[in-house]
Amino acid sequence: MEAAVACGEHEAAVRALESLTERTEAGGTSSGLGIAAYARGLVTGVEDHYREAVEHLEKSPMVPYRARAHLLYGQWLRREGRRRDCRRQLRTAHELLSGAGIEAFARRAADELRATGEKAPGRSGSACDRLTAQELYIARLVATGATSKEVASRLFLSPRTIDAHLRNIFRKLGITSRRQLRDHPGLGPGL
């Protein structure tokens, strides 16, 4: 949808939005409704859709989509010349994307911040930086108390695959248990 909007293919974007809206409204989840709202914002250019997306996705455990909503809203605000408002959205997007290890979009948020005259903060160099994006996501889910089976269901993977990821995560972080994962800086409660 974003590519269609960027290429001026408005009709294709509208068709994709209709299909997405039909599916997300049927599901009724905060995540789905938020994704549909920022897609509407992309197609219509209406600020209320971006705000709605951010509100819905604040309740979502899906950090990449939450970050994406802030990034798209921040980009829209920057194009509208609302520098102060966009910086707050872009900082939030950069923080979430960097924290989740989604470097391409984190760089995009940093570039947008630079375009406003502000420099994005650098990465901290923590142990979590050694984790892949998927390992970081799994680690955060497990740190909140999710079981391997619950994480597997959420990510459409097998519990054995999740356990294999956990072994890699434990090795990379130098820990041996889920409890240590919960207490690890950057992963435990409060995120």
Side-chain angles (χ1 to χ4, degrees):
M1 202 168 321
E2 184 175 0
V5 169
C7 294
E9 298 289 332
H10 187 72
E11 289 179 27
V14 168
R15 282 193 307 274
L17 176 61
E18 289 170 354
S19 176
L20 175 67
T21 301
E22 181 180 316
R23 288 182 176 105
T24 57
E25 285 180 354
T29 66
S30 292
S31 299
L33 295 172
I35 292 166
Y38 73 59
R40 270 193 307 283
L42 281 168
V43 173
T44 65
V46 174
E47 181 176 9
D48 286 343
H49 297 307
Y50 290 112
R51 284 186 185 155
E52 180 185 348
V54 168
E55 288 172 16
H56 278 299
L57 289 164
E58 286 302 319
K59 304 168 194 160
S60 170
M62 301 175 76
V63 174
Y65 294 106
R66 186 178 337 145
R68 190 99 168 88
H70 285 284
L71 176 59
L72 292 171
Y73 187 23
Q75 289 175 309
W76 183 87
L77 288 165
R78 190 178 74 75
R79 285 192 308 271
E80 294 294 310
R82 294 171 52 191
R83 201 176 240 182
R84 179 176 292 164
D85 294 333
C86 80
R87 284 179 176 163
R88 185 174 35 145
Q89 297 299 323
L90 293 171
R91 274 189 229 110
T92 300
H94 184 265
E95 179 181 309
L96 291 170
L97 292 162
S98 292
I102 306 171
E103 294 304 319
F105 280 112
R107 281 191 300 275
R108 189 165 157 185
D111 291 345
E112 291 284 337
L113 275 170
R114 267 192 298 284
T116 71
E118 183 174 314
K119 185 178 178 191
R123 295 282 310 258
S124 65
S126 71
C128 293
D129 292 343
R130 292 188 293 267
L131 302 179
T132 66
Q134 187 162 21
E135 288 170 343
L136 185 61
Y137 189 60
I138 290 168
R140 287 189 170 150
L141 290 173
V142 171
T144 63
T147 65
S148 292
K149 186 175 180 180
E150 291 167 341
V151 175
S153 173
R154 183 177 281 178
L155 297 179
F156 303 103
L157 298 171
S158 74
R160 285 183 61 175
T161 300
I162 298 304
D163 289 338
H165 280 295
L166 282 172
R167 284 190 296 275
N168 288 333
I169 292 164
F170 290 174
R171 180 183 45 81
K172 289 179 180 181
L173 297 179
I175 60 176
T176 57
S177 73
R178 290 171 179 255
R179 176 167 297 196
Q180 288 174 309
L181 194 60
R182 185 175 43 243
D183 297 334
H184 196 279
L187 297 176
L191 287 180

